[in-house]
Amino acid sequence: MSLKSKELIKTVVFFACLALGLFLLRQFVFTPVVVRGHSMDPTLADGERVITLKNTEINRFDIITFPALDEPDKNYIKRVIGLPGDTIAYKDDTLYINGKEVDEPYLDEFKKALTDGQPLTGDFSLKEKVPADSYFVLGDNRRNSKDGRVIGFIHKKDILGEVKFVMWPFSRFGPIPEVSKQ
């Protein structure tokens, strides 16, 4: 076997291993996702490309993606508000979890920009606690979001990943800002 043949084989094996490694990472570690719609404005905008990490521990205020239960072949991106066992209520544009007021700093700028005198989030109270192995989610743009108030609870097994990083546009390139877990 000539030297050129050996180099060619090494190159093909290298690229095959690289392709296999990328495929395995995509299957088990991360997934690229395109944001569709305005339900997560201003945190995530329509058309942005984000990276979700699979198999992470889900905490309050994490942003997750999951299959749309009411629209086959579509995924939703929403923020986790309620954890298993929580009671959730909204009154006067304030979130209450288990009867305690909880701050949502990621909404402050959006609330200040409202000019119609109406709340960002209308009053509601869940009739039941968040079930075991499930989560209650809301979009950040509460006026324009088909979220847990409409679609119900999201089961842990249905979560595709946690949104961690914006890839595109380059002006927003970087990690999603962490929110203090309360």
Side-chain angles (χ1 to χ4, degrees), residues 114-120 143:
L114 297 176
T115 59
D116 60 5
Q118 298 297 312
L120 177 62
R143 292 181 176 181

Side-chain angles (χ1 to χ4, degrees), residues 13-40:
V13 168
F14 170 78
F15 281 109
C17 289
L18 181 64
L20 177 64
L22 290 174
F23 172 78
L24 292 173
L25 283 172
R26 169 103 169 50
Q27 289 296 116
F28 300 108
V29 179
F30 69 87
T31 300
V33 175
V34 178
V35 177
R36 297 283 179 222
H38 297 281
S39 71
M40 284 301 293

